């Protein structure tokens, strides 16, 4: 059984200098489906054909075709990636406590999630493997792993260009060139570049600002070396920059009464806004018009640099592989958007991040064809992340946040106040692993694996007052009250050092039985994990808050069947699973006055149980279709000391046992079809090439879910479905391809995140509305 490591350096597309042509889309798609069907692991793949039909260029867009994959983000740093409900409880960044559903690009682990979600040149496949996979190498995981693949170097010379124009002035340009280096049959290259610019779809009615726009650029250079028959090396350099006016949480309503007592929320958002002279819009404005009265410069950017080497050497039937990479990732936020002018300082707030990592995955595999296949290796990982954070308040902070009866005290204490913080979490990981497949009979295999991961993590942390008005002119009593108000809002000076030494065991046992040449069933018992570490806490937190977070341990029980019928025209897979995540890493909230502060903690137990069905069919020539269904009942098995949601007052903690995990819809259904028809060479004699016409549709629907970790009734995202349409013409050899498309064709208005915040203000992020456009592809 293979885990995350893709055999990218030995693929037919990459290493066949005598091939007649580079792999076609149809051939690549068939290989991707065949790979999933041959492995006793629950998996769903978005093929190259699906990616091109839906104009998908990154993981964020691809998730709509992966029902077990759930991605939520508030910017390019704060991202949650979940598979089967597990990975990250919240999109809030956890620095060096890495997510439980890691992402790989051409077999290389991407430790900083923003680098893997946006800006991927020539994406040709997205594969989600479900359940623990760490005994095959790579990073530890709980819910599953995500494998991204790009087009690889070819010895056949070829160039491709793609242009796309769409709604909100979207302008996308991609280009690639590949071929042999100096006519050699030992070295080939591929260079891919891309750029996309798009205006935002959320408009400010106060200024001309627009939000949820993007400006992304990137390049991927690859060199394939085959100096001798048994040695292959793929060397790559990857750079991308992502700049987004994202993701502005705009006003969507106000909580005026507590749900558990019916009592009035004192000094609520309506009252606070009146005090600073800011009119509050109608609560339905955001969703009905995609406009907001909020304004301010909003810009979050990331720069990603990665060098990687994927090497395979075969000797005496053994294969030695090495996957090495060095990564640098930078994050630069400028969070100037506000729904309450003057409360936050115009320079904005955020965390400036500089992160570096080095990884090595060295593995040896025994010759295949015997009764026992064994692979063993060691995964090594190091990273250092430096976080320089600030939270700045403006000239109205005293009026908005102040609770003292004296306006002078409130204004002196809180106006132009700034919190600054620093931490530098670092990880050293060593993880040996071994996995074997015993071919007990021609129809019966037993796969076993074990892994031990040792994580040594350290972090220095400090926070301090970066700016404050002088207390001159205040009496001693007033000065003491001002200091108390400051500490209540941002906390006093605090520093600590934390270090954790955590060992985790992963294990795998799978029994596979082949019912026929086209069908097999499997039963799996496995264990995975997610390392904890120093707690990236900031703000006014009690000294009793733990400075470290425990590691997760996940137990997985699964049964599945994979089958194909009618000469591969119908593929039907089904899997059922139960997962128990012990010490589930989650956010708790400490409330000082009316101001909430969050920090990482551990819920005793979280559970996820469900069923997944994947069908692909070619009922007639020219028609391809698919449908994937995921039922995922993910809930807290034991969490008695959770933070309470905003609408619950008078309680220091709440019991969420039995309540759903955040971000996870219980039902997700994805389906689509495309029909193509040969039209002949009706452009002859002008162009003597046969044409193909095609059209298709994709539909995604998901049930409601909580977008907040405390399961607040004001964080519920209602069910919604999205319809995408496309139709186009292309030459049979795909030298030219023109397609028109509509995304969210029914113009569904929906939220992606929503929460109650200070004073009961409900803020929300809106999903992309109807977008239409045209894409032109050419290769020569």
């Amino acid at each position: 059984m293979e885990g995350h490591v893709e055999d990218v350096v030995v693929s037919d597309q990459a290493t066949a200098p005598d091939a007649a042509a580079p792999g076609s889309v149809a051939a690549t798609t068939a290989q991707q489906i065949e790979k999933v069907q041959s492995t006793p692991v629950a998996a769903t793949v978005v093929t190259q054909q699906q990616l091109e039909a839906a104009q998908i260029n990154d993981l964020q867009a691809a998730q709509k075709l992966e029902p077990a994959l759930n991605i939520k983000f508030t910017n390019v740093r704060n991202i949650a990636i979940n598979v089967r409900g597990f990975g990250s409880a919240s999109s809030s960044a956890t620095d060096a406590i890495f997510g439980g559903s890691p992402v790989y690009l051409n077999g290389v682990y991407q430790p900083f999630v923003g680098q893997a979600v946006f800006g991927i040149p020539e994406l040709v496949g997205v594969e989600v493997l479900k359940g623990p996979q760490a005994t095959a190498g790579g990073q530890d995981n709980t819910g599953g792993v995500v494998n991204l693949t790009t087009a690889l170097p070819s010895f056949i010379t070829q160039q491709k260009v793609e242009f796309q124009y769409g709604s909100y002035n979207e302008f996308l340009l991609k280009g690639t060139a590949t071929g042999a280096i100096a006519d050699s049959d030992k070295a080939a290259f591929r260079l891919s570049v891309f750029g996309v610019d798009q205006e935002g779809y959320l408009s400010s009615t106060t200024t001309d600002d627009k939000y949820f726009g993007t400006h992304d650029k990137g390049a991927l250079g690859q060199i394939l070396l085959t100096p001798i028959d048994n040695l292959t090396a793929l060397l790559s350099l990857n750079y991308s920059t992502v700049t987004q006016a994202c993701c502005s949480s705009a006003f969507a309503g106000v909580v005026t009464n507590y749900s558990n007592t019916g009592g009035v929320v004192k000094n609520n958002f309506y009252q606070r806004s009146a005090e600073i002279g800011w009119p509050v819009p109608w609560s339905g404005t955001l969703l009905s018009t995609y406009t907001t009265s909020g304004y301010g410069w909003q810009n979050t950017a990331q720069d990603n640099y990665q060098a990687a080497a994927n090497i395979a050497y075969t000797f005496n039937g053994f294969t030695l592989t090495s996957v090495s990479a060095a990564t640098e990732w930078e994050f630069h936020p400028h969070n100037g958007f506000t729904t309450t002018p003057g409360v936050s300082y115009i320079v904005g707030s955020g965390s400036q991040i500089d992160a570096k990592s080095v990884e090595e995955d060295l593995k040896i595999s025994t010759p295949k064809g015997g009764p026992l296949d064994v692979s063993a290796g060691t995964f090594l990982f190091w990273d250092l992340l430096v976080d320089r954070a600030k939270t700045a308040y403006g000239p109205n902070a005293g009026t908005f946040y102040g609770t003292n009866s004296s306006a002078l005290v409130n204004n002196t204490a809180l106006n132009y106040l700034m919190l600054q913080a620093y931490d530098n979490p670092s990880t050293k990981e060593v993880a040996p692993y071994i996995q074997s497949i015993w071919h007990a009979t021609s129809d019966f295999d037993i796969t076993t694996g074990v892994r031990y991961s040792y994580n040594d993590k350290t972090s220095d942390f400090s926070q301090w007052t970066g700016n404050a008005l002088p207390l001159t002119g205040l009496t001693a009593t007033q000065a003491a009250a001002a200091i108390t108000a400051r500490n209540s809002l941002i906390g006093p000076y605090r520093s600590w050092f934390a270090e954790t030494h955590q060992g985790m065991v992963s294990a795998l046992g799978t029994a596979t039985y082949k019912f026929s040449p086209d069908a097999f069933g499997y039963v799996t018992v496995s264990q995975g994990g997610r390392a904890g570490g120093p707690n990236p806490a900031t703000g006014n937190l009690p000294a009793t808050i733990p400075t470290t977070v425990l590691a997760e341990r996940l137990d997985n029980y699964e049964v599945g069947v994979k089958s194909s019928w009618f000469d591969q025209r119908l593929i039907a897979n089904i899997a059922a699973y139960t997962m128990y995540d012990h010490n589930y890493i989650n956010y708790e909230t400490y409330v000082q006055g009316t101001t909430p502060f969050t920090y990482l903690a551990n819920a005793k137990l979280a559970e996820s149980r469900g069923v997944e069905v994947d069908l692909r069919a070619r009922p007639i020539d020219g028609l391809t279709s698919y449908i994937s269904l995921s039922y995922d009942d993910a809930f807290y098995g034991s969490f008695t000391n959770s933070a309470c949601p905003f609408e619950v007052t008078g309680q220091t903690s709440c019991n969420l046992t039995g309540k759903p995990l955040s971000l996870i819809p219980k039902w997700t259904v994805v389906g689509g079809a495309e029909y193509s028809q040969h039209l002949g060479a009706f452009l002859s004699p002008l162009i003597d090439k046969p044409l193909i016409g095609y059209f298709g549709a994709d539909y995604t629907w998901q049930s409601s879910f909580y977008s907040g970790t405390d399961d607040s009734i004001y964080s519920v995202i209602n069910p919604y479905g999205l319809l995408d349409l496309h139709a186009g013409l292309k030459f049979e050899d795909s030298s030219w391809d023109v397609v028109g498309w509509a995304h969210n064709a029914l113009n569904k208005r929906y939220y992606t995140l929503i929460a109650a915040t200070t004073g009961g203000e409900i803020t929300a992020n809106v999903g992309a509305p109807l977008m239409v456009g045209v894409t032109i592809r050419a290769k020569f």
Side-chain angles (χ1 to χ4, degrees):
M1 181 189 306
E2 289 298 320
H4 79 279
V5 179
E6 301 285 342
D7 292 332
V8 294
V9 297
V10 293
S11 71
D12 293 338
Q13 176 188 350
T15 60
D18 57 345
S24 66
V25 173
T28 301
T29 296
Q31 292 170 1
Q32 291 169 330
I33 296 173
E34 181 182 358
K35 178 176 179 291
V36 167
Q37 287 303 109
S38 64
T39 307
V41 176
T44 304
V45 62
V46 180
T47 65
Q48 183 177 5
Q49 181 184 16
Q50 289 176 285
L51 293 172
E52 290 191 1
Q55 296 77 48
I56 292 174
N57 298 296
D58 56 37
L59 180 58
Q60 166 62 19
Q63 69 159 327
K64 63 185 177 182
L65 301 184
E66 286 277 9
L69 174 66
N70 190 279
I71 300 174
K72 293 292 182 290
F73 73 101
T74 54
N75 57 44
V76 293
R77 177 192 178 214
N78 296 283
I79 302 173
I81 300 177
N82 288 287
V83 177
R84 287 183 170 175
F86 292 127
S88 298
S90 165
S91 59
S92 296
T94 54
D95 291 337
I97 299 179
F98 301 102
S101 292
V103 180
Y104 299 85
L105 178 62
N106 292 333
V108 178
Y109 173 51
Q110 308 293 296
F112 312 111
V113 289
Q115 72 182 119
V117 173
F118 308 99
I120 303 170
E122 275 208 288
L123 183 66
V124 298
V126 177
E127 179 189 61
V128 176
L129 304 180
K130 303 157 190 178
Q133 307 290 328
T135 60
Q139 184 58 277
D140 292 290
N141 79 283
T142 53
V145 302
V146 180
N147 290 319
L148 308 177
T149 52
T150 67
L152 300 175
S154 169
F155 288 87
I156 307 301
T157 300
Q158 187 178 87
Q159 296 82 37
K160 293 182 180 180
V161 176
E162 180 176 327
F163 166 80
Q164 181 169 296
Y165 183 79
S167 301
Y168 302 95
N169 284 323
E170 180 198 22
F171 183 92
L172 179 145
L173 184 62
K174 296 196 297 184
T176 185
T178 188
I181 298 176
D183 295 326
S184 168
D185 62 354
K186 303 295 185 182
F189 79 97
R190 192 175 201 99
L191 177 62
S192 305
V193 297
F194 76 95
V196 59
D197 296 280
Q198 186 175 33
E199 295 178 359
Y201 52 79
L202 176 65
S203 300
S204 171
T205 57
T206 306
T207 66
D208 293 330
D209 293 325
K210 296 182 182 297
Y211 304 99
F212 294 91
T214 188
H215 306 278
D216 305 344
K217 308 288 185 293
L220 174 62
Q222 302 174 90
I223 294 178
L224 176 67
L225 303 174
T226 57
I228 55 178
D229 290 342
N230 57 347
L231 176 63
T232 305
L234 178 66
L235 311 178
S236 62
L237 289 174
N238 186 13
Y239 168 74
S240 65
T241 179
V242 177
T243 302
Q244 298 179 337
C246 183
C247 293
S248 304
S249 294
F251 174 82
V254 177
V255 182
T256 57
N257 294 86
Y258 295 109
S259 63
N260 62 328
T261 66
V264 174
V265 177
K266 296 180 179 179
N267 196 21
N268 65 37
F269 183 74
Y270 286 127
Q271 296 164 326
R272 296 178 187 225
S273 296
E275 290 171 355
I276 65 172
W278 184 251
V280 178
W282 172 56
S283 60
T285 299
L286 176 62
L287 202 57
S288 62
T289 67
Y290 273 39
T291 62
T292 175
S293 60
Y295 67 93
W297 184 45
Q298 183 74 15
N299 185 78
T300 57
Q302 72 168 8
D303 292 291
N304 176 59
Y305 312 82
Q306 187 171 75
N310 199 325
I311 301 170
Y313 176 65
T314 303
F315 60 98
N316 298 326
F318 291 83
T319 301
L320 180 67
T321 61
S322 170
V323 180
S324 310
T327 302
E328 181 171 352
W329 184 76
E330 300 171 356
F331 174 67
H332 309 291
H334 301 280
N335 297 319
F337 175 82
T338 180
T339 59
T340 52
V343 175
S344 298
Y345 190 47
I346 190 65
V347 298
S349 302
S351 294
Q352 302 287 333
I353 304 292
D354 293 293
K356 298 176 176 63
S357 71
V358 178
E359 62 188 271
E360 168 65 36
D361 197 340
L362 186 65
K363 179 167 69 173
I364 188 168
S365 302
T366 61
K368 297 185 182 300
L372 189 67
D373 299 329
V374 181
S375 61
T378 300
F379 177 71
L380 305 172
F381 180 76
W382 170 87
D383 97 298
L384 173 65
L385 185 148
V386 177
D387 179 0
R388 299 175 177 86
K390 70 177 180 181
T391 301
Y393 298 92
N396 290 334
T399 303
F400 191 82
Y401 290 111
T403 58
N404 194 279
S405 58
S406 168
L408 175 63
V409 171
N410 290 333
N411 292 335
T412 304
L414 305 182
N415 287 353
Y416 301 106
L417 186 65
M418 180 186 292
L419 168 68
Q420 290 185 262
Y422 171 90
D423 67 329
N424 60 349
S426 180
T427 299
K428 302 180 185 72
E429 179 181 359
V430 179
Y433 58 89
I434 185 170
Q435 185 168 295
S436 66
I437 304 176
W438 175 39
H439 305 289
T441 71
S442 59
D443 296 324
F444 184 56
D445 291 344
I446 296 178
T447 303
T448 57
V450 67
R451 168 195 178 110
Y452 179 77
S453 298
Y454 174 76
N455 284 264
D456 178 5
K457 297 190 178 187
T458 62
S459 183
D460 283 296
F461 171 82
S462 60
Q463 68 174 39
W464 63 94
T465 301
N467 185 71
L469 295 178
L471 301 180
T472 54
L474 298 183
T475 66
T477 301
Q478 289 175 325
I483 292 173
T484 299
R486 287 175 181 173
N487 290 341
S488 175
L489 185 62
I490 67 171
Y493 171 80
R494 184 184 180 207
S495 65
W496 47 259
F497 172 79
E499 183 171 11
T500 59
H501 302 273
Q502 297 176 340
M504 299 183 300
V505 175
S506 295
L508 171 69
T510 297
T512 308
Y513 183 75
K514 185 179 292 185
F515 304 115
S516 71
D518 296 319
F520 67 84
Y522 61 92
V523 177
T524 294
V525 178
S526 58
Q527 179 174 298
R530 176 190 180 193
N535 194 336
T538 60
N540 184 21
L541 297 174
T544 55
I545 294 300
T547 57
T548 61
V549 178
L550 300 176
E552 295 182 14
R553 188 192 88 238
L554 183 135
D555 301 319
N556 175 58
Y557 306 91
E558 180 175 340
V559 59
V561 175
K562 294 188 176 184
S563 63
S564 61
W565 307 80
F566 312 118
D567 195 23
Q568 309 294 319
R569 283 187 173 272
L570 174 64
I571 293 174
N573 300 334
I574 185 170
Y577 61 90
T578 297
M579 308 171 88
Y580 301 91
D581 195 332
H582 306 269
N583 295 323
Y584 178 63
I585 297 173
N586 192 12
Y587 277 90
E588 292 187 3
T589 300
Y590 168 75
V591 179
Q592 175 71 33
T594 59
T595 303
F597 296 94
T598 58
Y599 62 95
L600 279 184
N602 294 94
K604 184 177 181 180
L605 179 66
E607 301 182 34
S608 176
R609 58 193 61 169
V611 177
E612 298 158 340
V613 178
D614 291 291
L615 302 174
R616 291 179 182 270
R618 293 182 292 112
I620 60 174
D621 290 342
L623 177 62
T624 59
S625 62
Y626 70 95
I627 184 168
S628 296
L629 179 148
S630 172
Y631 170 78
D632 187 1
D633 184 16
F635 59 94
Y636 294 103
S638 178
F639 194 21
T640 59
N641 60 336
S642 168
C644 292
F646 181 90
E647 65 270 14
V648 174
T649 187
Q651 297 179 209
T652 57
S653 66
C654 285
N655 186 354
L656 292 188
T657 302
K659 294 275 287 179
L661 299 187
S662 60
L663 306 181
I664 311 302
K666 184 171 289 189
W667 291 95
T668 304
V669 181
V670 177
E674 182 178 272
Y675 178 73
S676 62
Q677 177 65 51
H678 284 262
L679 303 177
F682 71 77
L683 295 180
S684 178
L686 182 63
I687 300 177
D688 191 20
K689 287 185 177 183
L691 275 172
I692 296 176
Y694 60 94
F695 64 90
D698 300 280
Y699 185 75
T700 301
W701 181 89
Q702 61 181 24
S703 60
S704 64
F705 62 91
Y706 291 100
S707 61
T709 57
D710 56 11
D711 282 5
S712 169
I713 60 175
Y714 296 105
S715 72
V716 173
I717 303 294
N718 293 323
Y720 64 87
L722 302 176
L723 174 66
D724 293 349
L725 303 173
H726 67 273
L729 288 171
K730 63 181 179 182
F731 289 122
E732 190 175 43
D733 62 2
S734 295
S735 57
W736 283 91
D737 184 355
V738 180
V739 56
W741 46 266
H743 295 167
N744 189 4
L746 302 179
N747 199 24
K748 176 65 178 179
R749 303 295 178 95
Y750 60 102
Y751 295 131
T752 58
L753 292 171
I754 187 168
T757 61
T758 303
E761 180 190 14
I762 301 172
T763 61
N765 291 0
V766 289
L770 166 68
M771 295 189 182
V772 298
V774 61
T775 302
I776 302 173
R777 302 184 182 98
K779 68 177 183 180
F780 46 91

